[in-house]
Amino acid sequence: MEPGRVLDGRYRLDVALGSGAQGSVWRGHDLRLNCPVAVKVATLHNHPGRGETSEELNRRVARFRKEAQAMARIRNRPHVAVIYDHGEDGDLLFSVMEYIEGSPLSDHTGHGRQVTLEQTVRWTRHICDGLADAHDVGVVHRDVKPGNVVIDGDGAAKVIDFGLARFADSSSSHGPGWGTLHYASPERLREESGSALSDLYSLGCVVYEMLTGWTPFGHLSDPYTVLWHHVNERPAPPSALRPGVPRPLDALVLKLLEKAPGDRPAGARAVDRAIQQIEYVPDNAADPHVDIRHVAEIRDLERFIQRYADGPRATDTDVLDARARHARLTGESGDPRGAAALCQRLGQDCARLLGADHRRVFEAYREASRWKEGVG
C-alpha cells in the first residue's frame, strides 16, 4: 500500500508507522477535520494458509466492528487511545484512532534496559487505567506489550491498538492467536479465548521488563521453550535480577504472573489500588519503597530533558543541571540504582561532549558513586 491513499474519502495515509502479519499502522490525516490521526489497516482477504471460510471471515469482521463501537464509547480518558471511526474501503478494513505524539515503551525498556522505579509505578498505573476503561466496556486487548504502550510528551503512558487485537484472533482453529509470545498468558498459549485476566498476565510481563530489562523468560530464545515456561514455570522475582525492588512490588508482579487466571488480581483497578499502596511509605521506612512526592517535578524534568538533551543545547548549563537534578530526585524517590545509572550516563555524555577533564564529568561520577554506596 502506498502513502497518499485516502480511505472512505476522508482519511489520508501519510507515513507507515509499523506493520505485522495482521495489518499495518499509519500516521494519517483526517481531511474533514484537518487533524492528524492513527489509522490501523487490515485486509479482508483470507490469511495465507489458514483456509478461512467466508463465514469465519464474516465473524471476524462483525466482531471487529462490535469492539470498535465499544471502544468508541470511551471518551476523554487520559490513558487509552480512543477509536474515532471504523469502516471498510475496498478490500481494507480500518479503524481510526487518536494520534499520540510520543515514543513506544519499547524504546525505553527491554534488551537489558530498565526504567526507574518511579517510572515503573507511574506507567503501570496509567496502563491499568487504560485497560480498566476497556474492560469496563467488554473489550479485552489480548496483545498488551511495550510496543502497544506510548509514552507521550508529558511522560504519561497510553495503551493503544485495541482495535485489531481481538480481530486478529480469529475463532478459527487454523493458526495460533497468542498475541506476542513473550507477553502471552498461559491460557492464551493453550489457545483458550482468554479474558481481562489474560491482559493482567501480559501486564505482569511488561512490568517485569520495566523493572529488570527482560521479560520473565526473556533469557530463552527458543519459542517452544518460552511457551513451555509460560505455561509451567514460575519466574524468578524481579528483585533477583534487580536488587532494591520494593517487596510489595515484587509480590504484585508475581501475583500478576500466576498461571491460573483466578489466582491473579481481580482486575486492572485492583492492580491500580495495589500500586497506590506501594507508591508512598513514610520517610522512616527501612525497606525499599517508591516515594511519589517528587513525581510532578520528575515529569517536568523528563519533558525538558527529552526536548533538549539530544540536540544542539545538550551542553547548556540548564540542560545539564536538569539531568543532574532528575538523577538526584530519582534517588530520593527510592531508587538509588536508577539514580546511579542516570549519573553514570550523564558522566559519559559530558566526557564525550565536554572532554574527560571537565568538572561536570567528575561531579556526575561522584554522584553515581554516592548513589551506588547507598544501595548497600
Side-chain angles (χ1 to χ4, degrees), residues 246-248 277-278 280-291 293 334:
R247 284 185 292 181
Q277 296 173 18
I278 293 167
Y280 176 74
V281 177
D283 290 333
N284 60 358
D287 291 333
H289 64 282
V290 179
D291 188 335
R293 286 175 291 183

Side-chain angles (χ1 to χ4, degrees), residues 42-170:
T43 67
L44 291 171
H45 295 149
N46 292 347
H47 294 287
R50 292 183 58 166
E52 189 174 49
T53 66
S54 296
E55 183 179 352
E56 289 168 336
L57 176 63
N58 289 337
R59 280 201 299 267
R60 287 198 298 122
V61 173
R63 185 164 58 241
F64 170 73
R65 289 172 177 160
K66 180 179 178 181
E67 294 189 1
Q69 290 165 357
M71 286 299 298
R73 294 202 299 269
I74 301 176
R75 294 292 181 183
N76 302 318
R77 300 299 299 170
H79 301 301
V80 58
V82 297
I83 290 179
Y84 297 140
D85 196 5
H86 68 94
E88 298 174 25
D89 188 293
D91 63 344
L92 298 180
L93 184 68
F94 66 89
S95 62
V96 182
M97 307 180 76
E98 67 172 307
Y99 177 71
I100 304 169
E101 193 71 50
S103 58
L105 178 57
S106 54
D107 281 359
H108 299 261
T109 188
H111 304 288
R113 294 172 300 171
Q114 305 169 355
V115 300
T116 67
L117 293 179
E118 187 279 325
Q119 287 171 324
T120 298
V121 298
R122 185 205 321 166
W123 292 340
T124 299
R125 288 199 62 189
H126 294 173
I127 296 168
C128 285
D129 186 64
L131 290 176
D133 286 333
H135 295 166
D136 286 348
V137 297
V139 176
V140 179
H141 192 289
R142 298 178 182 236
D143 197 17
V144 177
K145 60 182 180 181
N148 282 337
V149 176
V150 173
I151 308 302
D152 68 17
D154 291 326
K158 284 197 175 190
V159 186
I160 65 171
D161 208 3
F162 285 90
L164 294 181
R166 189 188 288 255
F167 175 69
D169 176 31
S170 170

Side-chain angles (χ1 to χ4, degrees), residues 302-316 319-320 323 345 349 352-353:
E302 283 178 356
R303 285 195 291 268
F304 183 78
I305 293 166
Q306 184 177 10
R307 183 177 302 170
Y308 297 117
D310 293 325
R313 289 190 54 191
T315 58
D316 286 4
V319 177
L320 297 177
R323 293 183 63 182
R345 195 173 309 140
D349 289 345
R352 176 173 54 85
L353 297 170

